[in-house]
């Protein structure tokens, strides 16, 4: 029977790899199209695009693995049932819980992969991605420093530069900011310079005019200035200046947030603790997907009309677990005392799968118990 477990486990791992590859490809292409438009419009090369998309892959894989585990478990169990291999195993004396040994090991393997991703690989890739995006964003030359063209580095913002000197000075600049609905401001200056500061790059305009128009009232206010600094930090995207994303921090740091970490992330301690506990809870979803996919089909038994009802039950159960996960996330974020609820979806999913297997075991014993008296009388 150990050979049967190895056979089922190999089938599960093979289909798991196939579904993971397909789903990661679909999800990655969907994300890459939007990233490609952004990178190319910013004047970056294809190498930068490949680098950034590679750094987003670990998080994509983390999201896909539970779904791949569920799909592999459903597919393999359905094939074993249609080819009567489960019937042969049951005839050899294997009960539902005994046959669930291979799916359980498979689910633990998937959970270990998700744990490695959530605790190590994804935070490191997020930190590297944010750092790389910040470096690219700081280089505003590709967005703004183009002679004789109207550039649109952000929605509602237009920049025009008549001439760029070899020293980096900008001659004849126009900057129109219409991001606010209540007013539109146009800056014109004879000269300008790009200056780096701790809070981000700034455009220092010299000898210019600011014209602010209010469409509601039709008023136009003009202001002449000898020098004026325009903050570009909000236009370059990437990581917020001086702010750290909690998803980039190691789990040990999130579990014991110091005052320095809270100041760097600008988030309350409850958010950091939720992120840490969510990393421990996410691997359970991979185990839940494997067990529910197997238990739902085994509990349904054999049917000449196929296993579409069992598959629908498995999908509904997985969707219910995900809905529960979203619901408890809101509660845990609002109150740190509710953090244990983060583990509820995983525990509930495992309990549901165990209940299906117990129901299948009881249903399998009933025909045998009913047949024993009849066989004794016949003897």
């Amino acid at each position: 029977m150990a050979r049967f477990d190895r056979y089922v486990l190999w089938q599960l791992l093979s289909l798991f790899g196939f579904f993971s590859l397909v789903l990661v490809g679909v999800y990655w292409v969907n994300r890459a199209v939007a990233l490609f438009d952004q990178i190319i419009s910013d004047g970056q090369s294809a190498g930068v695009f490949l680098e950034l998309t590679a750094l987003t892959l670990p998080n994509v894989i983390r999201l896909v693995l539970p779904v791949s585990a569920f799909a592999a478990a459903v597919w393999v169990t359905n094939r074993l049932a249609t080819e009567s291999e489960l019937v042969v195993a049951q005839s050899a004396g294997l009960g539902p819980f005994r046959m669930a040994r291979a799916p359980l090991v498979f689910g633990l393997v998937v959970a270990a992969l998700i744990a490695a991703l959530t605790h190590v690989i994804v935070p490191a890739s997020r930190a590297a991605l944010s750092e790389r995006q910040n470096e690219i964003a700081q280089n505003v030359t590709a967005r703004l420093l183009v002679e004789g063209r109207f550039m649109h580095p952000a929605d509602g913002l237009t920049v025009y530069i008549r001439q760029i000197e070899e020293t980096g000075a900008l001659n004849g600049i126009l900057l129109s900011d219409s991001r606010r609905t209540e007013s539109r401001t146009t800056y014109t200056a004879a000269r300008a310079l790009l200056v780096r500061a701790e809070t981000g790059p700034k455009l220092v305009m010299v000898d210019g005019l600011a014209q602010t128009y209010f469409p509601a009232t039709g008023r136009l206010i003009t202001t002449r200035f000898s020098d004026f600094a325009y903050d570009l930090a909000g236009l370059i995207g990437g990581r917020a200046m001086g702010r750290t994303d909690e998803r980039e921090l190691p789990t040990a740091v999130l579990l014991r947030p110091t005052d320095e970490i809270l100041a760097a992330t600008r988030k309350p301690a409850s958010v950091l603790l939720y992120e840490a506990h969510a990393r421990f809870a996410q691997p359970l979803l991979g185990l839940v997907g494997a067990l529910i996919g197997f238990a739902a089909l085994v509990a349904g038994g054999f049917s000449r009309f196929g296993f579409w009802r069992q598959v629908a039950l498995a999908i509904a159960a997985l969707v219910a677990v995900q809905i529960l996960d979203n619901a408890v996330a809101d509660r845990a974020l609002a109150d740190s005392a509710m953090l244990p609820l983060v583990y509820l979806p995983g525990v509930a999913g495992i309990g549901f799968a165990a209940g299906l297997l117990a129901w299948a075991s009881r249903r399998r014993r009933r025909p045998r118990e009913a047949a024993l008296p009849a066989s004794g009388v016949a003897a």
Side-chain angles (χ1 to χ4, degrees), residues 339-351:
L339 281 175
L341 290 177
V342 174
Y343 303 93
L344 179 60
V347 174
I350 295 174

Side-chain angles (χ1 to χ4, degrees), residues 170-218:
L170 313 178
N171 296 327
I173 184 170
L174 179 144
L175 191 151
S176 178
D177 188 352
S178 59
R179 291 175 296 171
R180 295 182 178 180
T181 57
E182 65 274 9
S183 64
R184 296 195 298 267
T185 304
T186 302
Y187 304 90
T188 55
R191 292 174 61 83
L193 292 172
L194 279 174
V195 179
R196 294 185 180 273
E198 293 182 358
T199 58
K202 298 182 183 298
L203 180 65
V204 179
M205 293 176 280
V206 180
D207 189 16
L209 176 69
Q211 303 177 71
T212 303
Y213 175 69
F214 298 89
T217 60

Side-chain angles (χ1 to χ4, degrees), residues 308-345:
W308 63 269
R309 293 182 179 177
Q310 293 89 323
V311 173
L313 173 63
I315 294 175
L318 193 65
V319 170
V321 170
Q322 188 59 51
I323 293 175
L324 181 61
D325 184 58
N326 296 334
V328 299
D330 296 335
R331 296 292 302 275
L333 282 171
D335 186 2
S336 57
M338 298 293 180
L339 281 175
L341 290 177
V342 174
Y343 303 93
L344 179 60

Side-chain angles (χ1 to χ4, degrees), residues 7-19:
Y7 167 73
V8 175
L9 181 60
W10 172 251
Q11 295 291 323
L12 289 170
L13 291 175
S14 300
L15 269 297
F16 171 71
F18 170 75
F19 283 118

